[in-house]
């Protein structure tokens, strides 16, 4: 698995790549270009979730959301990166993931989050489904520049 530096991998200057306001304990950035990269992201997220001692249900939810967003980054954004962070200090800890690309952007975020909406012939459960699986979800997308999606799962 190759670690990359986010600014070198995507040009999209999203505020989500600069942090979510939580104290970062560890951080790694991985490329998202191929199906093998998706497998690597799933493995990394599972390892991070185990280290944080998330329940099996919470691990599964986070890995499922991460897998969907990684695939979207490749399919719709033409590839990009995932920034994976363990966050928190003195209070609750969590895992924050930011998926970023230099793709065409999402024209209508509200519509894209609706169940049943798809721009690529899928089931239309991707973004909305990922949002329901995590504790925090945020999208930063600009037409012609790219998209970043940040998710966070807190240890309960």
């Amino acid at each position: 698995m190759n670690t990359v530096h986010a600014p070198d991998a995507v040009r999209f200057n999203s505020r989500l790549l600069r942090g979510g306001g939580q104290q970062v304990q560890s951080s790694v950035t991985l490329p998202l270009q191929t199906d093998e990269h998706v497998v690597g992201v799933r493995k990394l997220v599972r390892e991070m979730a185990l280290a944080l001692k998330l329940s099996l249900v919470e691990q599964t939810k986070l890995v499922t959301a991460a897998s969907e967003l990684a695939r979207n980054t490749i399919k719709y954004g033409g590839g990009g990166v995932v920034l994976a962070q363990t966050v928190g200090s003195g209070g609750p800890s969590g895992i924050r993931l930011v998926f970023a690309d230099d793709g065409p952007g999402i024209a209508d975020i509200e519509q894209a989050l609706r169940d049943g909406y798809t721009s690529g012939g899928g089931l239309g459960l991707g973004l909305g489904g990922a949002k329901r699986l995590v504790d925090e979800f945020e999208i930063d997308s600009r037409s012609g520049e790219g998209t970043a999606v940040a998710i966070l799962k807190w240890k309960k």
Side-chain angles (χ1 to χ4, degrees), residues 65-133:
S67 181
E68 178 63 30
L69 294 172
R71 289 185 190 288
N72 283 358
T73 300
I74 295 168
K75 183 174 182 178
Y76 301 110
V81 298
V82 59
L83 171 64
Q85 302 173 317
T86 303
V87 298
S89 177
S93 295
I95 297 171
R96 181 174 185 267
L97 305 170
V98 182
F99 299 84
D101 64 60
D102 293 324
I106 301 172
D108 186 339
I109 292 172
E110 189 176 312
Q111 181 181 21
L113 286 168
R114 281 194 209 117
D115 285 347
Y117 173 78
T118 179
S119 62
L123 295 175
L125 299 174
L127 285 177
K131 182 178 182 179
R132 286 189 297 276
L133 293 171

Side-chain angles (χ1 to χ4, degrees), residues 2-22:
N2 297 333
T3 302
V4 296
H5 185 59
D8 297 336
V10 292
R11 293 180 315 276
F12 182 51
N13 187 22
S14 173
R15 61 184 165 68
L16 298 179
L17 287 168
R18 293 189 290 276
Q22 302 87 10

